[in-house]
């Protein structure tokens, strides 16, 4: 019977009738391997190692106890890959397990950067957080007995997550991801804004084969210059919330498309802006603009609830709560002296305006919770659709300009801000914007804008694997 070598951190060279490696008992017998030929182009050090293998095979013995250098070289030649890594999980491998102590000072390894890892020569460790899946080819090299030695090895980066598609017969199907971009002012020559959004299914939903519950819509009315952005997060506890979020964003888009086409809406807003420019009465301006927005919001929410009730009536066992979803909405346009920005929200998530040039950011919503910890409100919550409640949730801002207007569901806000207190921290928003701008080129002429935004939403955060939706006005 041939001796079987089980890869481990070290050879057990203590002798005896058997050797235990990784809790596997291995018969202590002679080694039966074919002696490799030394290629002509091999260096003297490579030849030395190959001759070591050939000599051991000829002697039908393993390296003697205490012959640590020979043992490690012998093991190195038998290995084709390093210990596998898990994507987005810290990786640590001590090179002392791989090469003799005398070679550590000259040890080098290339190819780690592609996997998101690096070699620390001070601790002789390969470490980091791998950020890509796949098999990566590495080249290790070191000097042994005064001559260079090199070898190719593989490193596999795997994932523990499963990505399971929802059942094909699931009611109200939805794509696992979506993205869109409104390039209104490609080269920023007209003083207008561009908009991009992306939505991805969370890892927890993908693991369980559940659909994406988030949704969004973007629109721009060329004739009047009005923009509309809305994102929605379907309640995880509601059976058909994926349909609820879809219905809500479609109704918002439909209602405001009609509103933007109406000359009365624009004229009322512009009249309020002109009055404000003359009397500078903040309270009157906010009160007037709020009243202008109440009616279209009431219409959109009432139509949304009516659709929920109609659909519930046609689905056995369904009820209104099954379509519960949040709402984050912004309606805005350029005016003669700046930008008028309306925002409205029900539930968690966040809306914020960024002015990076002036080092300022402000949250433009009031993320609301329910009566209990971790509970939030939805458009189906009793009383939310009343005019008084709608009025309290509308915020009005009139600004000279801004660098970005950002809307995000809690799948983004929870891992990035962690608490309501941080959501109100201007510095945290500036840090977030700069991080985002470092990953996504926020330019209208960027052909990869949507893909970059989708990729950004794949960021890793321990314990945060909900659906993620992000809309950015820039």
């Amino acid at each position: 019977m041939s001796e079987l070598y089980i890869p481990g951190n070290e050879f057990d060279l203590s002798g005896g009738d058997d050797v235990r490696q990784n809790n596997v008992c291995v018969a202590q017998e002679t080694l039966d391997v074919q002696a490799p030929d030394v290629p002509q182009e091999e260096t003297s050090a490579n030849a030395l190692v190959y001759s070591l293998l050939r000599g051991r095979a000829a002697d039908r013995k393993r390296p003697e106890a205490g012959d640590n250098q020979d043992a490690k070289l012998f093991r190195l030649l038998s290995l084709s890959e390093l210990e596998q890594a898990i994507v987005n999980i810290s990786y640590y491998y001590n090179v002392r397990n791989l090469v003799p102590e005398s070679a550590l000072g000259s040890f080098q390894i290339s190819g780690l950067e592609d996997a998101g890892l690096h070699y620390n020569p001070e601790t002789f460790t390969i470490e980091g957080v791998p950020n890509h899946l796949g098999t990566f080819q590495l080249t290790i090299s070191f000097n042994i007995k005064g001559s260079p030695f090199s070898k190719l090895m593989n490193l596999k980066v795997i994932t523990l997550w499963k990505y399971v598609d929802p059942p094909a017969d699931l009611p109200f199907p939805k794509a696992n991801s979506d993205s869109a971009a409104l390039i209104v002012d490609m080269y920023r020559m007209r003083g207008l804004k561009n908009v991009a959004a992306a939505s991805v299914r969370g890892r927890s939903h993908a693991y369980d084969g559940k659909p994406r519950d988030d949704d969004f819509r973007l629109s721009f009315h060329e004739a009047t210059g009005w923009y509309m952005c809305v994102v929605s997060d379907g309640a995880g506890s509601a059976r058909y919330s994926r349909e609820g979020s879809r219905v809500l964003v479609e109704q918002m888009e439909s209602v405001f498309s009609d509103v933007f086409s109406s000359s009365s809406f624009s004229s009322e807003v512009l009249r309020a802006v002109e009055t404000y420019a003359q009397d500078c009465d903040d309270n009157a301006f906010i009160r007037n603009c709020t009243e202008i927005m109440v009616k279209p919001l009431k219409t959109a929410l009432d139509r949304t609830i009516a659709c929920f009730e109609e659909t519930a009536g046609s689905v056995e066992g369904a009820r209104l709560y099954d379509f519960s979803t949040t709402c984050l909405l912004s309606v805005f346009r350029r005016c003669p002296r700046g930008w008028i920005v309306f925002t409205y929200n029900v539930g968690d998530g966040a809306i914020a305006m960024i002015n990076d040039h002036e080092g300022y950011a402000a949250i433009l919503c009031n993320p609301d919770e329910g009566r209990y910890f971790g509970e939030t409100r939805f458009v189906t919550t009793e009383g939310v659709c009343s005019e008084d409640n709608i009025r309290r949730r509308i915020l009005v801002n009139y600004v000279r300009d801004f660098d970005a207007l950002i809307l995000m569901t809690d799948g983004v806000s929870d891992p990035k801000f962690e608490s309501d207190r941080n959501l109100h921290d201007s510095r945290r928003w500036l840090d977030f914007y700069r991080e985002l701008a470092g990953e996504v080129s926020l330019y209208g002429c960027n052909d990869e804008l949507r893909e970059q935004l989708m990729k950004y939403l794949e960021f890793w955060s321990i314990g945060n694997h909900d659906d993620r939706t992000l809309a950015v006005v820039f």
Side-chain angles (χ1 to χ4, degrees):
M1 176 180 177
S2 300
E3 180 177 353
L4 174 66
Y5 280 84
I6 308 296
N9 287 341
E10 297 286 353
F11 272 66
D12 184 346
L13 304 176
S14 58
D17 295 334
D18 57 44
V19 178
R20 286 192 178 270
Q21 298 174 0
N22 298 344
N23 295 322
V24 178
C25 184
V26 184
Q28 179 76 0
E29 295 185 5
T30 58
L31 178 67
D32 183 16
V33 297
Q34 182 177 358
D37 294 327
V38 182
Q40 293 293 327
E41 64 274 12
E42 290 295 341
T43 66
S44 59
N46 286 36
L48 172 68
V49 178
Y50 277 103
S51 65
L52 169 68
L53 254 186
R54 188 169 56 249
R56 295 301 181 194
D59 295 341
R60 303 179 68 80
K61 295 178 181 178
R62 68 186 301 165
E64 297 294 335
D67 188 8
N68 191 45
Q69 174 169 291
D70 284 1
K72 287 187 175 180
L73 290 173
F74 188 87
R75 179 170 180 266
L76 175 60
L77 264 294
S78 68
L79 291 177
S80 60
E81 46 182 64
L82 292 179
E83 179 180 324
Q84 69 183 12
I86 301 173
V87 69
N88 296 317
I89 300 296
S90 294
Y91 181 81
Y92 182 92
Y93 183 85
N94 197 323
V95 172
R96 284 190 173 93
N97 299 328
L98 192 66
V99 301
E101 288 285 334
S102 61
L104 288 175
S106 60
F107 180 84
Q108 294 183 338
I109 183 167
S110 61
L112 290 172
E113 297 79 8
D114 294 337
L117 300 173
H118 66 276
Y119 174 63
N120 187 339
E122 295 182 358
T123 58
F124 307 115
T125 53
I126 298 171
E127 54 192 58
V129 180
N131 51 18
H132 292 94
L133 294 172
T135 300
F136 300 88
Q137 189 175 78
L138 312 176
T139 301
I140 65 169
S141 60
F142 55 86
N143 293 330
I144 185 72
K145 294 188 177 181
S147 299
F149 170 80
S150 63
K151 177 180 172 63
L152 295 177
M153 299 190 75
N154 289 331
L155 171 67
K156 287 185 179 179
V157 180
I158 65 170
T159 179
L160 298 181
W161 289 96
K162 296 185 298 182
Y163 292 86
V164 181
D165 285 331
D169 59 349
L170 192 71
F172 311 115
K174 179 178 285 188
N176 292 337
S177 63
D178 192 15
S179 64
L182 293 176
I183 307 304
V184 178
D185 194 355
M186 179 175 291
Y187 298 105
R188 298 181 178 175
M189 300 295 289
R190 302 166 59 191
L192 299 177
K193 303 293 184 182
N194 300 306
V195 192
S199 180
V200 298
R201 185 172 62 148
R203 292 184 179 90
S204 58
H205 283 197
Y207 188 88
D208 295 331
K210 295 180 179 179
R212 175 174 59 96
D213 291 331
D214 284 8
D215 221 320
F216 72 89
R217 287 295 185 277
L218 312 174
S219 68
F220 174 70
H221 194 260
E222 182 73 37
T224 60
W226 281 104
Y227 296 79
M228 192 277 315
C229 302
V230 58
V231 302
S232 181
D233 176 8
S237 58
R239 286 189 298 170
Y240 305 128
S241 64
R242 59 189 176 277
E243 178 68 359
S245 62
R246 184 195 68 80
V247 169
L248 181 134
V249 298
E250 286 194 351
Q251 288 299 325
M252 288 290 176
E253 181 182 35
S254 174
V255 168
F256 278 99
S257 177
D258 293 338
V259 167
F260 296 158
S261 299
S262 168
S263 60
S264 61
F265 179 79
S266 292
S267 61
E268 287 180 28
V269 173
L270 292 175
R271 189 180 307 118
V273 170
E274 287 299 322
T275 302
Y276 177 61
Q278 295 172 12
D279 61 24
C280 297
D281 187 337
D282 292 343
N283 292 331
F285 172 68
I286 292 173
R287 185 171 57 252
N288 292 337
C289 288
T290 299
E291 290 303 318
I292 295 170
M293 281 296 295
V294 169
K295 183 177 179 180
L297 275 172
K298 174 68 173 170
T299 301
L301 290 170
D302 285 347
R303 289 184 183 178
T304 298
I305 298 300
C307 287
F308 291 170
E309 291 174 340
E310 180 181 356
T311 305
S314 63
V315 177
E316 184 177 357
R319 54 194 179 124
L320 180 62
Y321 174 80
D322 291 330
F323 300 89
S324 295
T325 191
T326 67
C327 177
L328 293 158
L329 170 78
S330 182
V331 173
F332 55 99
R333 66 157 284 176
R334 188 183 180 190
C335 297
R337 299 176 184 85
W339 289 82
I340 177 75
V341 180
F342 297 92
T343 55
Y344 168 84
N345 77 288
V346 176
D348 48 23
I351 309 173
M353 180 180 291
I354 311 294
N355 195 329
D356 193 33
H357 290 89
E358 297 182 8
Y360 174 78
I363 188 168
L364 302 187
C365 66
N366 294 302
D368 55 359
E369 302 295 333
R371 290 176 296 175
Y372 305 103
F373 177 78
E375 183 184 21
T376 191
R377 291 185 175 86
F378 305 102
V379 296
T380 51
T381 302
E382 185 177 358
V384 164
C385 295
S386 69
E387 286 193 5
D388 286 343
N389 195 285
I390 293 171
R391 190 176 288 108
R392 288 196 299 269
R393 294 173 181 275
I394 296 171
L395 295 181
V396 181
N397 281 270
Y398 183 49
V399 297
R400 182 173 57 188
D401 200 0
F402 59 89
D403 291 314
L405 180 64
I406 299 173
L407 298 84
M408 60 175 67
T409 59
D410 67 335
V412 181
S413 63
D414 281 358
K416 292 299 182 181
F417 293 90
E418 301 171 338
S419 69
D420 284 349
R421 180 178 179 179
N422 289 338
L423 279 173
H424 290 83
D425 187 337
S426 178
R427 292 172 298 177
R428 294 291 294 261
W429 279 103
L430 290 172
D431 290 343
F432 171 79
Y433 172 71
R434 290 162 186 168
E435 175 191 276
L436 176 65
E439 299 288 334
V440 182
S441 296
L442 297 174
Y443 298 99
C445 55
N446 178 14
D447 294 334
E448 299 179 353
L449 177 61
R450 292 167 59 180
E451 291 76 11
Q452 290 176 358
L453 199 55
M454 294 272 284
K455 184 177 180 180
Y456 174 79
L457 290 178
E458 295 174 0
F459 67 82
W460 180 264
S461 176
I462 296 175
N464 293 291
H465 307 299
D466 196 5
D467 294 347
R468 294 170 178 169
T469 301
L470 179 65
V472 186
V473 181
F474 58 94

